[in-house]
Amino acid sequence: MKLYSVNTGYFKLDGGAMFGVVPKSLWQRTNPADENNMCSWAMRSLLIEDENRLMLIDTGMGDKQSEKFFGYYYLHGDDTLDKSLASHGFHRDDITDVFLTHLHFDHCGGAIQWNKDRTGYEPAFKNARFWSNKGHWKWATEPNRRERASFLSENISPIMESGQLKHIDVQGDRTKNAFANIDVLFMNGHTDKQMLPLIKYQNKTIVFMADLLPSVGHIPLPYVMGYDTRPLITMEEKGQFLKEAVDNDYILFLEHDALNECCTLKATEKGARLDNVGTLQDFIG
């Protein structure tokens, strides 16, 4: 097995929305905001090469929405999905599996693209299976008012229409061996049945954190995004997971942290806290 970090770009979101009830005087220590109170965030995917499988976890935002839409999110930087794949010697047509942690636009938008004459949409990974789960798919296709703006039909419906959609079986809060060397955790605080893959790599476990832990600035329990549909459940899920991460020396792969690719945690009197940060390669060699 080989693992590659794939950065699809950067965007900005309101710092207050990203940290919920936590005051700016606290969260700006780790995530300084610009003059408009916007903080920079990565859209970082993970590529797993394992024998005949080449799995991409999340796809970034994509590029098919309008200029007005993207104007809300201040896209910046030179990274793109295709450029990052190419830097590792791959093309999107090489991808066999696209694992979507959840269907918010900044996680799945890159899964679908315009067709050649821009009359409709098609999968951006023509040779891949797209993995979700039935509970989250129903949640996303029958959206509640709070999340409706994050579940965009042009990102979701074409996956089903393509015939390439597959569902992971939900077995309680954890499906073991959903794929070879990969377990899947299910989290319900941010959105229903968000999926976090736990990747067994040599003698280590790397966890793709998606939106349970967007950045190192979100490690303390009260630091929960205002976007979460059930923040009290997020706190409970995060508390249980952070203890597990400390006890098992997990390496946490951070999808949205603009500065830190991965981190590990340590136990303190105040609970789990940041131990080390670095790139994925720093941790796995």
Side-chain angles (χ1 to χ4, degrees):
M1 177 185 284
K2 296 181 180 179
L3 304 176
Y4 310 91
S5 179
V6 175
N7 199 348
T8 72
Y10 296 89
F11 70 134
K12 291 187 177 185
L13 293 171
D14 183 87
M18 284 297 288
F19 287 95
V21 299
V22 178
K24 182 179 181 180
S25 58
L26 296 178
W27 59 253
Q28 70 177 352
R29 297 173 185 174
T30 56
N31 297 80
D34 65 17
E35 64 278 5
N36 295 316
N37 210 50
M38 306 290 279
C39 300
S40 184
W41 305 96
M43 291 178 285
R44 185 178 294 116
S45 301
L46 180 63
L47 186 66
I48 303 172
E49 183 183 15
D50 193 12
E51 297 183 349
N52 295 324
R53 185 187 297 275
L54 190 63
M55 176 182 285
L56 182 68
I57 303 176
D58 282 354
T59 66
M61 195 179 295
D63 60 4
K64 64 185 174 298
Q65 274 77 34
S66 68
E67 183 177 345
K68 179 180 179 181
F69 175 88
F70 289 120
Y72 296 133
Y73 300 105
Y74 304 91
L75 300 181
H76 57 285
D78 297 325
D79 291 321
T80 67
L81 175 59
D82 288 323
K83 186 186 294 186
S84 294
L85 287 174
S87 72
H88 299 302
F90 298 108
H91 185 273
R92 63 175 62 206
D93 292 350
D94 300 324
I95 304 298
T96 64
D97 298 87
V98 176
F99 182 103
L100 299 170
T101 61
H102 59 297
L103 296 169
H104 288 167
F105 67 87
D106 54 314
H107 295 258
C108 76
I112 297 297
Q113 63 187 8
W114 284 108
N115 61 17
K116 180 177 274 189
D117 56 7
R118 296 179 70 86
T119 58
Y121 303 109
E122 64 184 12
F125 304 90
K126 65 181 183 180
N127 299 314
R129 292 162 290 189
F130 294 84
W131 293 94
S132 184
N133 65 77
K134 289 181 179 179
H136 183 66
W137 189 267
K138 179 176 173 61
W139 186 266
T141 55
E142 300 174 14
N144 59 76
R145 292 181 181 180
R146 184 178 179 87
E147 290 182 273
R148 187 173 296 158
S150 294
F151 291 130
L152 306 181
S153 61
E154 64 266 30
N155 289 338
I156 299 173
S157 296
I159 299 177
M160 173 69 82
E161 293 164 1
S162 73
Q164 294 168 236
L165 176 64
K166 302 293 182 182
H167 288 305
I168 293 171
D169 289 334
V170 178
Q171 300 172 10
D173 63 357
R174 185 182 310 235
T175 296
K176 293 187 176 182
N177 298 312
F179 305 94
N181 301 309
I182 301 175
D183 295 347
V184 176
L185 286 176
F186 299 95
M187 299 288 174
N188 298 298
H190 177 61
T191 188
D192 203 60
K193 297 294 185 294
Q194 177 183 207
M195 301 192 294
L196 306 186
L198 283 74
I199 301 125
K200 301 162 191 173
Y201 178 82
Q202 298 179 359
N203 294 319
K204 303 177 176 70
T205 298
I206 297 96
V207 186
F208 189 93
M209 294 309 301
D211 280 344
L212 180 68
L213 193 75
S215 74
V216 298
H218 288 86
I219 293 171
L221 281 184
Y223 288 56
V224 171
M225 291 190 292
Y227 297 109
D228 286 16
T229 59
R230 307 176 181 115
L232 293 178
I233 292 179
T234 295
M235 290 178 67
E236 180 178 348
E237 291 173 335
K238 187 166 74 168
Q240 292 173 352
F241 174 82
L242 294 182
K243 183 180 185 305
E244 181 179 336
V246 170
D247 291 345
N248 293 281
D249 297 318
Y250 288 167
I251 299 163
L252 309 185
F253 186 93
L254 303 169
E255 184 166 13
H256 286 314
D257 193 311
L259 299 177
N260 304 295
E261 198 167 274
C262 293
C263 73
T264 55
L265 304 176
K266 61 184 177 182
T268 74
E269 293 180 354
K270 295 182 178 180
R273 288 294 184 268
L274 182 66
D275 188 12
N276 293 307
V277 295
T279 66
L280 177 62
Q281 294 306 313
D282 289 336
F283 284 103
I284 67 174

